[in-house]
Amino acid sequence: MNSRKAAMGKNRLEAFSDGVLAIIITIMVLELKVPHHANLEALQPLLPSFLSYVLSFIYVGIYWNNHHHMLHAAKHVSGPVLWANLNLLFWLSLFPFATGWMGENHFAALPSAIYGFVLLMAAISYYLLQQSVIAADGPGSLLKQALGSDWKGKASPFLYLTAMVLAFWVPGVAQAIYVAVALIWLVPDRRIERAISHTET
Amino acid sequence: MNSRKAAMGKNRLEAFSDGVLAIIITIMVLELKVPHHANLEALQPLLPSFLSYVLSFIYVGIYWNNHHHMLHAAKHVSGPVLWANLNLLFWLSLFPFATGWMGENHFAALPSAIYGFVLLMAAISYYLLQQSVIAADGPGSLLKQALGSDWKGKASPFLYLTAMVLAFWVPGVAQAIYVAVALIWLVPDRRIERAISHTET
Amino acid sequence: MNSRKAAMGKNRLEAFSDGVLAIIITIMVLELKVPHHANLEALQPLLPSFLSYVLSFIYVGIYWNNHHHMLHAAKHVSGPVLWANLNLLFWLSLFPFATGWMGENHFAALPSAIYGFVLLMAAISYYLLQQSVIAADGPGSLLKQALGSDWKGKASPFLYLTAMVLAFWVPGVAQAIYVAVALIWLVPDRRIERAISHTET
Amino acid sequence: MNSRKAAMGKNRLEAFSDGVLAIIITIMVLELKVPHHANLEALQPLLPSFLSYVLSFIYVGIYWNNHHHMLHAAKHVSGPVLWANLNLLFWLSLFPFATGWMGENHFAALPSAIYGFVLLMAAISYYLLQQSVIAADGPGSLLKQALGSDWKGKASPFLYLTAMVLAFWVPGVAQAIYVAVALIWLVPDRRIERAISHTET
């Protein structure tokens, strides 16, 4: 009876998060304003906006992917988990703004640093959500085992911080770090997949 | 057979409500217009819009959270429940407008009062939805037991009314009341969680 | 096995339709443009937009409600059902445009007639969807029994047509008809609810 | 246990994809800007935008339909499937931009070619997703059997490429090809439906 109750809460948490993430990922494309002319010159100024859209799309995709694996490994959904999840969604909801500002200003210093700040807060929020899921599951949490050292989760905030500072001196390096962290994460959380299949077989 | 039927209707009601709430919460961020310049001076005028976005995000989060707990305790979904739910969604759908207007006008009197009016109507609609769920479940409604005195639900409308009136004299106090009511609600409806777990064990 | 298959298709059809309807209902509110001033004079010109938003919100709510009851009574989801459903969603997706145009032009003749045209096409599409569900279910369709004479479904298109023509002479009467038809439909499809409960007991 | 795990992943993949597709299909209508005047002259310039909206609505509808049939036949959801799906959603998310640009510029050469490019990339992405689903299911994949020669999937990219080139010489022919390919696909993937019903009976 208890497991059905937890599963029910999980379903709605997933559905709501999927909804918000789906909207965030699609709303970002609205920052690609349709140009009024039909030639290449009209398209060219959109390139930075397009590139930052691609980067943010990949980031939201990574969050969706990892969120999916995390909740798959979760057993219980407690009150703190609901709020930690809303907190994560709040920071992710700032992606369209941060992406649009950075793109429209051609990767200028301040917008690039603010973009890094939003990435940093999202990473911290994701970490807090992870901890609240582990706490809700109690000792023997499948997620905790699955995470192992979680070096990616621990390294990312420091890389974002570094990029934020560097954005004011060498903006190009900040962008390179954002891309590099995305690439590190593109490899999905195999650890969780593995831990789950170990348990189930 | 009857329970499966009820569960089915509940699922779709939850899915639709989750969709609308997810869109409302994400659409509000569109009122944070991307500035055309890349300096702090361009960001500063957005501060009131950002603060009202944070407040409204928390309010919608609270509604999602309580809605989730309410429907979890509901057994039947009747015609009046569907319409009471749509009525609640209608008033919540005005949040982006009220939030944007209040933010853009730096918490001026009238927009602050209108914001309070939308909060008031949402609170009344939530109360009506609650009553229709209790009525649909009949005597022995789990939700009714779980709610107890429901002092939060009864106090909130009066606090919003007070804030609406005060908005015309001391706008700052109105904002303080909106924040205070949000904080009161941030504590999730433990009562319902407790009542359910009592029943299930 | 067959029933599980049908149920699966139905779930996704419902989920996609719920998503589209949730977005349509929420996107319409974006036509309520946030005014730049904070006084009543700035709010007043929005009244027609607000009223047409309320009307359209109720219409989309009615469609969601009836769609919910219709699919609840459906057993099979065939290819034609999928396309009839997409056709309905297409016409409903024009609601934000028609609503915005009618509201912004204070219920002028042409926008009011076009609004009626979109209502008419949505009503016809709903009828076609109904027929395709009945056809997919074959003889003994629960939906067919439940619908009975379906006088509302048959009368609405003629009322919309009348309103469209009258819009060019006495716009007020057209609006009155739109409101009246909405009120007729506000009573949910008790017939289907009743037919289902008859079958299940 | 394994089948339940796969089903769970599938559900969330479907829910997220449905969300994104529902938003894409609805956001495109925002490119139909509400005119400020209430006469036919104000409506006429919207005709190309309306026609390209109809075309894109049908394309997204086809993708939703085929995606629905594809995942219905899929048994396993692997990491590569998740990413192949996100890649497809990325290209589909560019539909509103490409549609809006082509419509606003009355089917001019470059926007028409770019529209074809987005269609081409979406078709290739769909093919890659199909391959990753087949790979995840291993030998005896139901989807592989169901697809057969997949001549539509193989012919479409070449038709889009042809249209892209022709767009610079005879734009009208490019449009005709886009419409023709849509018509070819409008017939739903009966092959998969048939293969599934063969297996289940």
Side-chain angles (χ1 to χ4, degrees):
Chain A
M1 181 68 47
N2 213 29
S3 77
R4 210 186 112 258
K5 187 189 145 194
M8 221 178 120
K10 238 172 77 169
N11 283 357
R12 231 194 129 173
L13 186 70
E14 289 181 334
F16 183 69
S17 308
D18 281 352
V20 172
L21 290 174
I23 299 158
I24 290 171
I25 220 169
T26 327
I27 259 182
M28 286 191 304
V29 90
L30 293 178
E31 293 300 331
L32 281 182
K33 301 271 160 54
V34 172
H36 292 288
H37 296 286
N39 45 31
L40 264 183
E41 287 72 43
L43 212 56
Q44 220 172 22
L46 290 177
L47 190 66
S49 292
F50 181 72
L51 291 178
S52 57
Y53 172 59
V54 173
L55 183 61
S56 294
F57 191 99
I58 292 171
Y59 264 114
V60 177
I62 290 167
Y63 271 105
W64 179 75
N65 231 317
N66 289 342
H67 193 265
H68 170 271
H69 283 100
M70 187 210 283
L71 282 180
H72 192 48
K75 278 207 198 71
H76 298 283
V77 169
S78 62
V81 169
L82 294 182
W83 284 105
N85 191 57
L86 274 169
N87 181 46
L88 172 62
L89 294 179
F90 173 76
W91 290 104
L92 293 177
S93 81
L94 296 179
F95 269 47
F97 175 83
T99 306
W101 201 34
M102 185 169 77
E104 198 169 306
N105 290 287
H106 297 201
F107 305 103
L110 186 64
S112 296
I114 294 280
Y115 187 81
F117 177 70
V118 173
L119 284 177
L120 174 67
M121 294 308 292
I124 293 173
S125 305
Y126 189 84
Y127 179 80
L128 293 175
L129 174 57
Q130 219 170 47
Q131 295 309 109
S132 70
V133 168
I134 291 173
D137 279 357
S141 155
L142 184 58
L143 180 61
K144 194 176 179 180
Q145 285 172 251
L147 281 171
S149 69
D150 192 21
W151 67 269
K152 285 188 202 175
K154 281 172 188 151
S156 302
F158 294 99
L159 288 165
Y160 294 140
L161 257 176
T162 313
M164 278 174 68
V165 177
L166 288 176
F168 292 100
W169 307 99
V170 270
V173 176
Q175 312 301 332
I177 293 177
Y178 299 149
V179 172
V181 178
L183 291 178
I184 292 175
W185 278 103
L186 264 182
V187 185
D189 248 324
R190 291 273 156 82
R191 297 162 303 174
I192 298 182
E193 271 184 53
R194 216 176 300 130
I196 288 172
S197 63
H198 273 245
T199 321
E200 290 184 342
T201 37
Chain B
M1 181 70 45
N2 212 27
S3 77
R4 212 187 110 258
K5 187 190 148 195
M8 222 178 117
K10 238 173 77 170
N11 282 358
R12 230 192 132 176
L13 187 71
E14 289 181 335
F16 183 69
S17 308
D18 280 353
V20 173
L21 290 173
I23 298 158
I24 290 170
I25 220 170
T26 327
I27 259 182
M28 287 190 304
V29 89
L30 293 178
E31 295 299 332
L32 281 182
K33 301 273 160 54
V34 172
H36 292 287
H37 296 285
N39 46 31
L40 263 184
E41 287 72 44
L43 213 56
Q44 222 171 20
L46 291 177
L47 190 65
S49 293
F50 181 72
L51 291 179
S52 57
Y53 172 59
V54 173
L55 182 60
S56 294
F57 190 99
I58 292 172
Y59 265 112
V60 178
I62 289 167
Y63 271 105
W64 179 76
N65 230 317
N66 289 343
H67 193 264
H68 170 271
H69 282 100
M70 187 210 283
L71 283 180
H72 191 48
K75 278 207 197 71
H76 298 283
V77 169
S78 62
V81 170
L82 295 181
W83 283 105
N85 192 57
L86 275 168
N87 181 46
L88 172 63
L89 295 180
F90 173 76
W91 291 105
L92 293 177
S93 81
L94 296 179
F95 269 46
F97 175 84
T99 305
W101 201 36
M102 185 170 76
E104 199 170 306
N105 290 288
H106 297 202
F107 306 101
L110 186 65
S112 296
I114 293 281
Y115 187 82
F117 177 69
V118 173
L119 284 177
L120 173 66
M121 295 308 293
I124 293 173
S125 306
Y126 188 84
Y127 179 79
L128 292 175
L129 174 57
Q130 220 169 44
Q131 295 309 110
S132 69
V133 167
I134 291 172
D137 279 358
S141 154
L142 185 57
L143 180 60
K144 193 176 181 180
Q145 284 172 251
L147 281 171
S149 69
D150 191 23
W151 67 269
K152 285 188 201 175
K154 281 172 188 150
S156 302
F158 294 100
L159 289 165
Y160 295 141
L161 257 177
T162 314
M164 277 174 68
V165 175
L166 288 176
F168 292 100
W169 306 99
V170 270
V173 176
Q175 312 300 332
I177 293 177
Y178 299 150
V179 172
V181 178
L183 290 177
I184 292 174
W185 278 104
L186 264 182
V187 184
D189 248 324
R190 290 272 156 82
R191 298 162 302 173
I192 298 182
E193 272 184 52
R194 217 176 299 127
I196 288 172
S197 63
H198 272 244
T199 321
E200 290 185 343
T201 37
Chain C
M1 181 67 52
N2 212 29
S3 77
R4 212 188 111 259
K5 186 190 149 196
M8 221 179 119
K10 235 171 79 168
N11 283 357
R12 233 195 129 173
L13 187 70
E14 289 181 333
F16 183 69
S17 307
D18 280 353
V20 172
L21 290 174
I23 299 157
I24 289 171
I25 220 169
T26 328
I27 259 182
M28 287 190 303
V29 89
L30 293 178
E31 295 299 331
L32 281 182
K33 300 273 159 54
V34 173
H36 292 287
H37 295 287
N39 45 31
L40 264 184
E41 287 73 45
L43 212 55
Q44 221 172 20
L46 290 177
L47 190 66
S49 292
F50 180 72
L51 291 178
S52 56
Y53 173 60
V54 173
L55 182 61
S56 295
F57 191 98
I58 291 172
Y59 265 113
V60 178
I62 289 167
Y63 271 104
W64 179 75
N65 231 316
N66 289 342
H67 193 265
H68 170 271
H69 282 101
M70 187 210 284
L71 283 180
H72 192 48
K75 278 207 197 71
H76 297 284
V77 170
S78 62
V81 170
L82 294 182
W83 284 105
N85 191 58
L86 275 168
N87 180 46
L88 172 63
L89 295 180
F90 173 76
W91 291 104
L92 293 177
S93 81
L94 296 179
F95 269 46
F97 175 84
T99 305
W101 201 35
M102 185 170 75
E104 200 169 305
N105 290 288
H106 297 202
F107 306 101
L110 185 65
S112 296
I114 293 280
Y115 187 81
F117 177 70
V118 172
L119 284 178
L120 173 67
M121 295 308 292
I124 294 174
S125 306
Y126 188 83
Y127 179 80
L128 293 175
L129 174 57
Q130 222 171 41
Q131 294 309 110
S132 69
V133 167
I134 291 173
D137 279 358
S141 155
L142 184 58
L143 180 60
K144 193 175 181 180
Q145 285 172 250
L147 281 171
S149 69
D150 192 22
W151 67 270
K152 284 188 202 174
K154 281 172 188 150
S156 303
F158 294 100
L159 289 165
Y160 295 141
L161 257 177
T162 313
M164 277 174 69
V165 175
L166 288 176
F168 292 100
W169 307 99
V170 269
V173 176
Q175 312 301 331
I177 293 177
Y178 300 149
V179 172
V181 179
L183 291 178
I184 292 174
W185 279 103
L186 264 182
V187 184
D189 249 325
R190 289 273 156 84
R191 299 162 301 175
I192 299 182
E193 271 184 54
R194 216 177 299 128
I196 289 172
S197 64
H198 272 245
T199 321
E200 289 184 342
T201 37
Chain D
M1 180 67 50
N2 212 29
S3 77
R4 212 186 111 257
K5 186 190 148 196
M8 220 178 119
K10 237 171 79 168
N11 282 357
R12 233 196 128 172
L13 186 70
E14 288 181 334
F16 183 69
S17 307
D18 280 352
V20 172
L21 289 174
I23 299 157
I24 289 171
I25 220 169
T26 327
I27 260 182
M28 287 190 304
V29 89
L30 293 178
E31 294 300 332
L32 281 182
K33 300 271 159 55
V34 173
H36 292 288
H37 296 287
N39 44 30
L40 263 184
E41 287 72 44
L43 212 56
Q44 219 171 23
L46 290 178
L47 189 66
S49 292
F50 181 72
L51 291 178
S52 57
Y53 172 60
V54 173
L55 183 61
S56 294
F57 190 98
I58 292 172
Y59 265 113
V60 178
I62 290 167
Y63 272 106
W64 179 76
N65 230 316
N66 290 342
H67 193 265
H68 171 270
H69 281 101
M70 187 210 284
L71 283 180
H72 192 48
K75 278 209 198 70
H76 297 283
V77 170
S78 63
V81 170
L82 295 181
W83 284 105
N85 192 57
L86 275 168
N87 180 47
L88 173 63
L89 294 179
F90 173 76
W91 291 105
L92 293 177
S93 82
L94 296 180
F95 268 47
F97 175 83
T99 305
W101 202 34
M102 185 170 75
E104 198 170 307
N105 291 287
H106 298 200
F107 306 102
L110 186 65
S112 295
I114 293 279
Y115 187 82
F117 177 69
V118 172
L119 283 178
L120 174 67
M121 294 308 292
I124 294 173
S125 305
Y126 188 84
Y127 179 79
L128 293 175
L129 174 57
Q130 221 171 43
Q131 294 310 108
S132 69
V133 167
I134 291 172
D137 278 358
S141 156
L142 184 59
L143 180 60
K144 194 176 180 179
Q145 285 171 249
L147 281 172
S149 70
D150 192 21
W151 66 271
K152 284 189 203 175
K154 280 171 188 151
S156 302
F158 293 101
L159 288 166
Y160 295 140
L161 256 176
T162 312
M164 278 175 68
V165 176
L166 288 176
F168 292 101
W169 307 99
V170 270
V173 176
Q175 311 301 332
I177 293 176
Y178 299 150
V179 171
V181 178
L183 291 178
I184 293 174
W185 278 103
L186 264 182
V187 184
D189 249 325
R190 291 274 156 82
R191 299 161 301 175
I192 299 182
E193 270 184 54
R194 216 176 299 128
I196 288 172
S197 64
H198 272 245
T199 321
E200 289 184 342
T201 35

